[in-house]
Amino acid sequence: MQIGKAVQAAMNDQIHKELESAYQYLAMSAYFSSINQPGSASWMRVQGREELGHAMKFTDFVEDRGGTIVYRALTAPPTTFASPLAAFETAVQQEAMVSTSINALFELAAKEKDYASQALLQWFITEQVEEEKTSREIVDTLRLIGNNTSGLYMFDRELGRRGQAG
Ligand code: FEO
């Protein structure tokens, strides 16, 4: 069944959010590079690629259902942060915002009796639980570390291991 106009429009909005999210993570990666935290820079870059993957997952779905993709201009993301903690706090807020948006999209798909979209969105709902948890845990750890430079150094190295495992 071809995708309905309302769900198509909302998915295009979601694609835009995922792309802006990717853009934001890449900006955070650049920030971490600029303060010599290569592990966190790498973590952010891996996350940016994941967000691009999310945008492509929605794109493929809309196209598979005979819909149309409309890209819009991306907003330039903030590129400087007060601290590593502030950058990861931004990530937490961003993920919460994406979760709210995914939930609203699911509600719309349910209202429209669009079962295929609901199946796709189930995956995203589960993914968001994981993404929110991961970024929250990093914020919690950075709060514990505070201004301890050797702690920050070690944690940055730990974050850099993400992506090396796959
Ligand atoms: Fe695609 Fe992190 O939400």
Side-chain angles (χ1 to χ4, degrees):
M1 198 167 68
Q2 191 168 354
I3 196 164
K5 291 284 173 232
V7 173
Q8 174 180 289
M11 286 213 178
N12 269 292
D13 281 348
Q14 190 62 38
I15 290 166
H16 184 75
K17 288 188 178 110
E18 302 289 348
L19 290 173
E20 288 210 323
S21 196
Y23 211 12
Q24 175 65 82
Y25 279 116
L26 291 179
M28 291 198 248
S29 176
Y31 159 72
F32 279 110
S33 288
S34 77
I35 60 164
N36 272 322
Q37 294 223 10
S40 303
S42 163
W43 191 98
M44 289 293 180
R45 201 176 278 203
V46 171
Q47 187 59 36
R49 272 200 290 268
E50 277 206 13
E51 299 304 345
L52 195 55
H54 293 167
M56 292 305 98
K57 209 173 172 86
F58 277 115
T59 300
D60 288 343
F61 180 82
V62 170
E63 288 179 346
D64 286 350
R65 294 192 57 209
T68 307
I69 299 297
V70 182
Y71 289 126
R72 308 200 301 263
L74 298 175
T75 309
T79 49
T80 55
F81 300 88
S83 62
L85 174 61
F88 274 102
E89 280 173 341
T90 301
V92 169
Q93 285 162 12
Q94 183 167 284
E95 290 307 330
M97 189 266 288
V98 169
S99 296
T100 302
S101 169
I102 297 275
N103 290 346
L105 192 41
F106 185 88
E107 265 180 53
L108 175 68
K111 187 169 103 15
E112 299 281 318
K113 296 190 170 31
D114 180 340
Y115 301 106
S117 291
Q118 287 174 62
L120 175 81
L121 289 162
Q122 286 286 358
W123 183 89
F124 277 99
I125 289 166
T126 307
E127 174 77 358
Q128 280 311 117
V129 171
E130 190 57 36
E131 297 216 332
E132 281 196 53
K133 171 177 168 271
T134 306
S135 52
R136 242 189 357 253
E137 281 175 354
I138 294 172
V139 162
D140 288 345
T141 304
L142 284 171
R143 283 192 182 135
L144 277 176
I145 292 171
N147 290 327
N148 180 324
T149 46
S150 63
L152 272 175
Y153 174 78
M154 296 298 288
F155 190 52
D156 181 64
R157 281 182 52 159
E158 190 181 318
L159 289 178
R161 282 199 281 275
R162 180 190 187 188
Q164 288 174 4

